[in-house]
Amino acid sequence: MADYRIGITGCAGRMGQMLVREVLATPGCKLSAAMERGGHEWIGRDVGELAGAGSLGVKVGDDAVALFAASDAVIDFTTPAVSAINAGYAAQARAVHIVGTTGLSSDQEDELHSAARHTAIVWAPNMSPGVNLLFALTEEVAKALGPEFDIEIVEMHHRAKTDAPSGTAIGLGRAAADGRDVNLDKVAVRGRDGMTGARKKGTIGFASLRGGDVVGDHTVIFAGDGERIELTHRASTRQIFANGALKAALWARGKPPGLYTMRDVLGLNRR
Ligand code: NAD
């Protein structure tokens, strides 16, 4: 089989740089193109040299149409607005689109859903296998315990993170709500301050902490009368996300159009 051509957008970002190295280290994959936002200082420079891998002859571009045309799959950890627009380009080019970006609005999510009618898109707020197992466990435990246990989700991330709660925390909330057969939007309490009154039964609470270089900690707390269950995942390197994104790209090769998640990639979906 010919080399799988993978393009990276946002290649100068924290995740982008790691993804470039991950593609270069994966047998059977070829870095087809790399892109950054217009005006970025990396535009026009060789991405291999920037990644410390020597010259590859792949210059960082700023043209999304060219990126998708040159690639079988594009991995995209950028910003919500950019990823939503890119999904349309992926649909036009019939390229696999792996979206790790978090913080999408519901309109932006709708754009991913429409594009996924034409191509395979994997969108996951967290690409780590461990966190995706935590999603499945959270759903299971929420189902088993019932609403007399209060669910609270606590997350901590590095000081540069711009969205809160984290996409992963919201994903965990969704998993808990699915386990209870309720709609997260109807029961979520996103932050408390001042005279909030007593906790309402059946709600799912979120708390976000920011500081230092924390890669990502998530805990789901099930608090009952006289006992508490806590499920925790701690990420200590971004490598797990880059690794998961490559796994998703390889899995999606040749898949029919659709919006998939990491639980599909890892075979953790029960439905
Ligand atoms: P970052 O700010 O370091 O990187 C984002 C990059 O995208 C920047 O280099 C920026 O210049 C670039 N960019 C902006 N507009 C662009 C455009 N129009 N075209 C091409 N590139 C453009 O951020 P980061 O820490 O790498 O995170 C990026 C996103 O990924 C965030 O939403 C973050 O929450 C998410 N994330 C997801 C996972 C996961 O597993 N799904 C893991 C880590 C981070």
Side-chain angles (χ1 to χ4, degrees):
M1 212 192 292
D3 274 352
Y4 191 32
R5 298 172 305 151
I6 301 184
I8 305 293
T9 184
C11 63
R14 275 178 291 264
M15 282 306 302
Q17 295 190 39
M18 201 153 252
L19 287 160
V20 165
R21 287 194 290 274
E22 195 70 24
V23 173
L24 296 177
T26 306
C29 294
K30 182 182 155 192
L31 187 67
S32 53
M35 182 180 163
E36 255 300 334
R37 66 179 153 73
H40 194 279
E41 56 179 324
W42 281 27
I43 305 288
R45 295 172 64 189
D46 189 293
V47 70
E49 281 171 8
L50 291 163
S55 172
L56 292 173
V58 177
K59 298 240 189 302
V60 178
D62 61 0
D63 178 354
V65 174
L67 168 81
F68 280 90
S71 309
D72 300 312
V74 168
I75 305 181
D76 177 346
F77 285 61
T78 55
T79 69
V82 171
S83 294
I85 292 171
N86 281 345
Y89 293 129
Q92 277 167 29
R94 302 292 191 264
V96 166
H97 191 198
I98 307 299
V99 184
T101 309
T102 62
L104 274 69
S105 67
S106 54
D107 284 352
Q108 289 163 337
E109 286 187 30
D110 288 346
E111 291 185 50
L112 258 55
H113 279 281
S114 323
R117 290 202 296 266
H118 308 286
T119 195
I121 300 181
V122 181
W123 177 45
N126 193 308
M127 302 262 175
S128 111
V131 159
N132 285 280
L133 181 59
L134 186 63
F135 285 146
L137 291 172
T138 297
E139 185 174 335
E140 193 94 3
V141 175
K143 191 176 204 165
L145 291 177
E148 59 283 7
F149 277 77
D150 300 324
I151 303 179
E152 294 283 310
I153 298 169
V154 184
E155 54 104 346
M156 179 158 187
H157 283 85
H158 55 90
R159 59 170 79 89
K161 186 163 177 62
T162 51
D163 55 318
S166 70
T168 303
I170 295 169
L172 288 166
R174 240 176 230 148
D178 286 352
R180 281 185 170 175
D181 229 354
V182 294
N183 181 339
L184 179 65
D185 295 338
K186 300 237 165 74
V187 298
V189 175
R190 290 168 64 147
R192 299 187 181 92
D193 187 24
M195 290 298 292
T196 58
R199 191 183 199 285
K200 251 175 86 185
K201 191 172 179 182
T203 51
I204 296 178
F206 292 86
S208 297
L209 315 179
R210 294 287 174 267
D213 59 356
V214 178
V215 172
D217 292 353
H218 293 89
T219 298
V220 185
I221 303 167
F222 297 87
D225 290 330
E227 60 181 341
R228 197 160 74 227
I229 296 173
E230 299 185 359
L231 303 176
T232 295
H233 178 273
R234 294 186 204 284
S236 50
T237 165
R238 286 191 177 78
Q239 192 67 48
I240 53 171
F241 309 129
N243 214 282
L246 252 293
K247 199 176 270 209
L250 291 165
W251 175 88
R253 192 177 195 178
K255 284 277 181 307
L259 187 57
Y260 301 100
T261 71
M262 229 23 218
R263 284 175 73 171
D264 297 308
V265 174
L266 298 168
L268 292 170
N269 262 345
R270 286 176 294 134
R271 278 164 290 160

